[in-house]
Amino acid sequence: MNLIEKLNMYLEIILYIIMALVLVGIGIWFYIRSKPNSKQKEDTTDYSQFPKKSSEEFVIIGDIADNKIVMDNGTRYVSGVKCNGFDYNTAREDEKLMVQANYINLFNMIDNPIQFYLQCQDVDVEHIINNHQEAKQKVLIKLEKANIEFENLQQTIKELKDGEGEELVKLLDEAKKRKILVQKTIDCLTWDYRHLEELIAYIKTVSENREEPQRNEYYFFSYKFNPLAFSVNLTKGEIEKRAATELKTKAENFKSILRSSKVSAEMVDKDELIEIVRRHYNPISANIYKSNNIKNSNFFDMVTTTDYFDETKEKYIISEALKMVDKSINEQNKEAS
């Protein structure tokens, strides 16, 4: 073995040793990193000494009143219009050209920054379901009264059958006629009740299976009050009146141009502005706690009372009415058979 071969052999041995040491070092490093540090230093920072700030300092909205958002200490006012457009992709070519020209006019009209705001939310059918529920309860109450009258008429007819005399015969005949009318009323109310139940179930099923959210599109614009533009000092009421006039004028201009583009638009009101802001900052809870529920609740009342007894009474009336409905249906089935 010559010298060169010996040197190559020694170099290979050294290289293998270095590679083994590197692998051992990597293994030790991974072991140390994966081992939990039980001697973590406890945080002894006294956070009570830190300066505290209210959340109101970070919220730029001062108030929402009279269809506008008050900002920057009452010097800037924001409002907007809600839009409902049409399907541009399926429109005719002349309609597309007309819409493009009108939107160019809209852009030329803009002299201050505006914001296009697109908001998606689940379709709210709760108020529709509530209206149907209320209608169902009213039908149920009428049905209960009709069933009570029907039973009274049956008892009256039973008592008058054994009587004699022209007057009693006349009363019996009137009672029988009234019974036929009440029976027809019960049949109609029973059909209405079942129909409302089916409608409520259908609306709930459709709303639960709906995947496409409701899209709300808005154009927001603002009015900035400049005290240097007036020779006299204006009061707060005069400033708000001026802002309302300016915002309404801008809204009418938007509505006019958008209408010519086959886009219907309406100025947003106070409740819509509150819902927009609330949904922007609380997108998840806004779908759970609806604005109508908060507005109709007694959240701001000084004294909170319970309507437990009224609810119990109503449930009792409904259960008794349902029993009468079942009884009436069973009697009809017996008569039919």
Side-chain angles (χ1 to χ4, degrees):
M1 183 181 293
N2 55 25
L3 182 61
I4 295 176
E5 291 178 349
K6 288 183 178 179
L7 288 175
N8 288 335
M9 184 181 65
Y10 292 149
L11 288 174
E12 288 179 0
I13 294 172
I14 294 171
L15 182 61
Y16 289 144
I17 293 173
I18 292 173
M19 290 177 63
L21 291 174
V22 169
L23 292 174
V24 171
I26 293 173
I28 294 172
W29 182 78
F30 274 110
Y31 174 76
I32 294 172
R33 287 292 302 272
S34 61
K35 188 178 180 181
N37 188 6
S38 59
K39 297 181 180 180
Q40 230 174 4
K41 188 177 180 181
E42 185 179 354
D43 186 7
T44 57
T45 306
D46 186 8
Y47 291 98
S48 63
Q49 303 299 323
F50 282 46
K52 297 182 178 63
K53 291 187 177 182
S54 172
S55 60
E56 294 181 356
E57 299 180 31
F58 300 97
V59 180
I60 60 177
I61 297 174
D63 191 16
I64 299 177
D66 300 329
N67 303 343
K68 58 184 180 294
I69 302 174
V70 183
M71 307 175 70
D72 298 343
N73 296 323
T75 60
R76 184 166 172 249
Y77 300 85
V78 178
S79 187
V81 292
K82 182 178 180 179
C83 305
N84 291 308
F86 74 109
D87 192 349
Y88 177 83
N89 294 324
T90 59
R92 299 193 308 269
E93 193 63 31
D94 57 335
E95 290 179 330
K96 291 182 178 181
L97 294 174
M98 181 188 67
V99 170
Q100 293 172 11
N102 288 325
Y103 263 89
I104 291 173
N105 293 333
L106 174 65
F107 297 147
N108 291 332
M109 182 197 73
I110 298 171
D111 55 356
N112 286 305
I114 67 168
Q115 180 184 9
F116 175 75
Y117 186 70
L118 176 62
Q119 191 178 69
C120 296
Q121 66 182 80
D122 294 337
V123 180
D124 184 14
V125 295
E126 185 178 351
H127 64 287
I128 300 175
I129 295 174
N130 291 337
N131 291 338
H132 282 71
Q133 292 280 13
E134 291 175 4
K136 190 178 78 169
Q137 301 302 331
K138 291 178 181 178
V139 170
L140 198 56
I141 292 171
K142 291 179 181 178
L143 192 56
E144 178 194 10
K145 292 179 180 179
N147 277 295
I148 293 172
E149 185 180 0
F150 185 82
E151 289 186 352
N152 292 335
L153 286 169
Q154 279 186 320
Q155 185 66 27
T156 302
I157 292 170
K158 186 178 179 182
E159 293 173 357
L160 291 174
K161 276 183 178 179
D162 301 329
E164 296 180 357
E166 185 178 349
E167 187 176 349
L168 291 178
V169 172
K170 185 178 180 181
L171 290 173
L172 179 61
D173 186 52
E174 290 178 356
K176 288 181 178 179
K177 290 179 180 179
R178 180 63 185 169
K179 179 185 174 184
I180 294 172
L181 291 175
V182 173
Q183 182 61 59
K184 291 180 179 179
T185 303
I186 291 174
D187 294 341
C188 293
L189 291 173
T190 303
W191 187 91
D192 289 342
Y193 182 82
R194 291 177 173 175
H195 180 62
L196 286 169
E197 274 192 330
E198 291 175 359
L199 277 176
I200 293 170
Y202 174 75
I203 294 171
K204 288 181 178 179
T205 303
V206 171
S207 63
E208 289 172 358
N209 297 333
R210 185 183 176 94
E211 297 180 357
E212 182 181 354
Q214 175 182 340
R215 293 176 54 183
N216 298 324
E217 300 176 1
Y218 304 90
Y219 285 101
F220 284 103
F221 41 82
S222 63
Y223 166 74
K224 180 76 173 178
F225 172 70
N226 184 10
L228 300 177
F230 299 90
S231 58
V232 295
N233 293 329
L234 300 181
T235 63
K236 182 179 179 181
E238 291 173 336
I239 295 173
E240 291 183 351
K241 187 176 180 180
R242 175 82 179 183
T245 303
E246 292 289 337
L247 292 174
K248 187 175 181 181
T249 302
K250 289 187 177 183
E252 291 298 326
N253 292 336
F254 268 91
K255 287 166 60 177
S256 177
I257 295 179
L258 290 171
R259 194 181 300 115
S260 60
S261 302
K262 295 190 175 183
V263 177
S264 61
E266 290 296 332
M267 190 173 182
V268 292
D269 57 18
K270 176 184 175 181
D271 292 338
E272 285 181 304
L273 287 172
I274 293 174
E275 178 65 14
I276 291 168
V277 173
R278 180 169 169 268
R279 188 170 290 279
H280 177 77
Y281 289 105
N282 306 280
I284 297 176
S285 62
N287 279 331
I288 302 173
Y289 308 103
K290 309 291 175 58
S291 296
N292 291 333
N293 297 340
I294 297 173
K295 188 167 58 176
N296 296 331
S297 69
N298 55 356
F299 179 79
F300 297 101
D301 293 348
M302 293 293 291
V303 179
T304 302
T305 59
T306 177
D307 53 356
Y308 171 76
F309 296 104
D310 293 335
E311 290 179 358
T312 305
K313 181 180 177 181
E314 185 179 356
K315 289 178 181 178
Y316 173 76
I317 292 173
I318 292 172
S319 64
E320 291 299 315
L322 286 173
K323 290 178 183 177
M324 290 185 177
V325 172
D326 294 336
K327 184 178 178 182
S328 175
I329 293 171
N330 292 331
E331 289 179 357
Q332 292 177 27
N333 293 334
K334 287 180 181 178
E335 291 176 1
S337 61

